[in-house]
Amino acid sequence: MASKTGHEDSESYHFVLAGAGSAACLIASRLSQQLPDHRILVLEAGEHLQNDAKVQTPGLSGALQGDSSYDWDLASQPEPGLNGRTIPHPRGRLAGGTSAINSHSVVFPNHEWQDRIAKDLLPESGRADWSAQGMQDCYDRWHVVTDRENDGGSEECIRTCYPHELDELQKRWHPAFEELGHVSPATAFAESSPGAVTITNAIDASKGERSHAATAFLEPALARGNVTLKTGVTIDKIVFDESRGGDGKLSATSVRYTDHGETSLVSAKEIILCAGVFGSPVILERSGIGSKIVLAAANVPVLYELPGVGENLQDHLNCSLSIEVNDDVPTRDNVLRSPDLQRASSMEYERSHTGRLAEGPAHSFAFTALQLLETPAETEELVKATKQHLQAETKPGLSAQYSLIQSAIQSPTEATASTFLLRCQRNRDLDSLPPGTPAMVPGNYATVVAMLAHPFSRGSSHITSPSPSQYPTIKFNYLSHPLDTEIFARHLRLIERLFHGPTFASLAKPNGRRLPRSCPKPVETLEEARGILPINAATNYHPCGTCAMMKEEFGGVVDERLRVYGTGNVRVCDASVLPVIPRGNILAAVYAFAEKAAEIIVREVKAEQSRSVEQT
C-alpha cells in the first residue's frame, strides 16, 4: 500500500537512481546524454568528496577501507569454512561507490562466461543483448588507456593505465608461465586463453590519480543540468501504488528517504536501484519484495513474493604463498616496514604525483585453467566429481549455474582461478598465531595469489528489521561446497610449480623463508593445501549475485531488461545482478552491465516516444 506519511518532494523525476555507486554514475551519465529532456535524481547516503587527497591518491586505497568517512564497514557473520572468522567487506560510502576505494585492478570477464549467462540463465528474448557479441561494445565503451602524455581525451569514461615501468618481478611474470607452455592471452574482453597478462589499473596516468565513477561519469552529468545529486540521505523503501496495473504488476510511485532527520517522498516514473550487492536487496525487502519467510521475520508485509532477493551471494576467495627472494630483487617490503621511506614516497607524490603512491599494487595477473595444474588423469578425477555433485543438485537455479561452472572446469582454456603477483609479503594467518606475533617478518618477498574464479558456495544477505539504520545479516558460507576446496587446493599446487620453475628458482633466496607462517615450507600434497585454506584464505572483496539476472524460476530477481519481477517500473543494476561471478575483478563487468542497462532504457524510451508520435 502507498505510504501516507512523509514530506512530498515538490519535484518529480523521470528516473530516480538509488545510490551513486559505480553503476549509477555511469547510467546517469549515459541517460543524461541520450535523453536530455529527462530529469534524473541520484540519491546517495555518502558524500560527493571532490578533490579528496585520500581518494585521489592511488597508493592510499588501503587507508580508505575501514574508515567510516569512506567505507560502510560491513562484515560477514562468523564463517564456519574459515575457522569462524568474521570477514570485513569494505563498500564505498561516497559518490563513486566502491570504485572510489578499491585497489584499481581492471580484469575482464571472458566471452564464454558472458555467452553462457545469456544462453543458460536467460530466456530467448534476452540472449542477443547479453551475449558476448551483444556486450562487446559495452565492455569497450567505459574505459580508455592513458599514459603520462595522454589524458584520454574528453570522453566520459574511466581512465586506465599500464605500469610506467616494469620492475624485476613484473618482468619475470610472463616467462614463468611460458615455462609451463602458455603465451600471453588477450587482456580485454575476449575468448579465454590461459597464461600471464599485464593488466591496466583504474588510474589516470596523466595525473597520477585514481579514476573512479564519480569523476568519470557523475560530474560531467551534473554539469549538463538534467541530473540532480542529493547526498547524505538514507533510502528507506520504494512506495507502490495501492492498485496494480492491468498486468497485475506493482507500480512504483516514489522513493521514501530520510534527509537530516526529515522523511521525504520523491516521485518518479522509473526507479533504478544501484545501492550495491548489500544495499539493493535490503531496499527491495524493506519495500515488501522478497522471501515471505525473511519478510515475516522482519515484520514487513509481503507485496510480491520473490525468494531470490538477497540469495545467491558469491565472492572471490584467494589464498597466497610467498617465497623470500634475493636481497637485490626490489620489492615493497622495505617501504612497508619503514616510516622514513613512506614519508619519502608521500613527499614525491606531493611534488609530482609520481612514484609508489601514483601506482596500483597489482598489474601482473594470469588466467590459470585446471589443465595447467594436473595430469590428464587428475583432471578427469575432478571433472568426474563435479558431474556427481551436479547430478545431486535439485534446485533448478543452482543446477543451471553449476552447469555453467562445470563447462569452465572442463575447458582447457578457461580459468578456474585468476592468479596474481604481489611484490611484498602477505600474511593472512595472524589470527591463528600466538598473541604478540609480529604482523610482518624480515626479508624480501614475492607473493603469488590464487583467486578461485567461479566458486560453487553460495551465501545470503537479508534484513532482520524494517529499520533503515540496521545493517543486513551477511553470510557468505565460504568453502561450504566441497568442490571449492578441491579446485582451490590444486591452484596452490600450481603456485608451487611456479616457484620450482627456472624463473622463480633464480630469484629465490637460498634457504629463504616461506609464508604463510602457519605452513612455512613448500606445499607438497593436496591434503596440505586443503589444510591451509581455512587459516589463510581471504576475500578479494568481490561480492555479487544477490539480485541475480536470471529466470524467475531459477531464483532470479531481475529479468533480461533488469526489471524486478512483479514490478512494472523498478530495475536493479549493480554487482548484485551478476548471476555468476566472473573470473576476475568484478568492476569491469559492473560497468559493462551498466552500459547495457542504459542502452536498454534509452531504447525503450525512444520506442515509447515513437509510439506516441504515431498515435497522434
Side-chain angles (χ1 to χ4, degrees), residues 408-422:
I409 290 172
Q410 292 175 315
S411 168
T413 63
E414 291 185 61
T416 46
S418 295
T419 305
F420 58 96
L421 172 70
L422 295 176

Side-chain angles (χ1 to χ4, degrees), residues 380-419:
E380 183 56 36
E381 180 184 340
L382 189 58
V383 168
K384 183 179 179 181
T386 304
K387 289 180 179 177
Q388 290 173 344
H389 278 284
L390 243 67
Q391 290 169 355
E393 181 54 58
T394 59
K395 295 179 180 178
L398 280 179
S399 181
Q401 292 183 55
Y402 288 172
S403 179
L404 189 156
I405 300 172
Q406 180 189 25
S407 297
I409 290 172
Q410 292 175 315
S411 168
T413 63
E414 291 185 61
T416 46
S418 295
T419 305

Side-chain angles (χ1 to χ4, degrees), residues 12-78:
S12 179
Y13 295 85
H14 293 92
F15 302 101
V16 170
L17 278 69
S22 309
C25 291
L26 189 152
I27 292 171
S29 166
R30 303 310 188 227
L31 295 184
S32 72
Q33 284 176 308
Q34 299 176 54
L35 301 173
D37 57 340
H38 282 56
R39 301 183 69 246
I40 303 159
L41 173 65
V42 182
L43 298 173
E44 168 58 33
E47 298 299 331
H48 184 20
L49 302 177
Q50 295 173 288
N51 303 315
D52 185 288
K54 276 190 177 181
V55 174
Q56 290 175 319
T57 307
L60 295 182
S61 60
L64 302 173
Q65 298 168 15
D67 184 334
S68 60
S69 297
Y70 307 92
D71 176 14
W72 282 104
D73 203 21
L74 297 168
S76 74
Q77 297 294 298

Side-chain angles (χ1 to χ4, degrees), residues 517-590:
R517 285 169 287 187
S518 52
C519 185
K521 68 179 189 66
V523 176
E524 297 175 353
T525 67
L526 281 177
E527 185 176 358
E528 288 178 339
R530 294 184 193 106
I532 288 174
L533 292 172
I535 301 170
N536 296 281
T539 174
N540 252 91
Y541 308 120
H542 298 157
C544 67
T546 52
C547 294
M549 183 181 67
M550 292 191 297
K551 297 176 184 177
E552 188 172 4
E553 60 266 31
F554 283 178
V557 175
V558 299
D559 65 14
E560 69 274 18
R561 295 187 297 163
L562 299 172
R563 289 196 190 278
V564 177
Y565 289 114
T567 77
N569 60 341
V570 178
R571 300 185 210 248
V572 181
C573 188
D574 51 36
S576 71
V577 304
L578 303 180
V580 175
I581 197 167
R583 66 183 180 182
N585 300 40
I586 64 174
L587 190 58
V590 171

Side-chain angles (χ1 to χ4, degrees), residues 4 26 102 108 151 156 241 269 302 333 340 383 387 391 402 426 433 443 448 490 526 557 574 580 585:
K4 299 297 184 182
L26 189 152
N102 67 4
F108 287 89
D151 66 2
E156 290 180 28
D241 198 313
K269 291 185 177 179
V302 178
D333 287 292
D340 289 340
V383 168
K387 289 180 179 177
Q391 290 169 355
Y402 288 172
R426 188 172 188 258
L433 300 174
V448 178
R490 286 160 171 79
L526 281 177
V557 175
D574 51 36
V580 175
N585 300 40

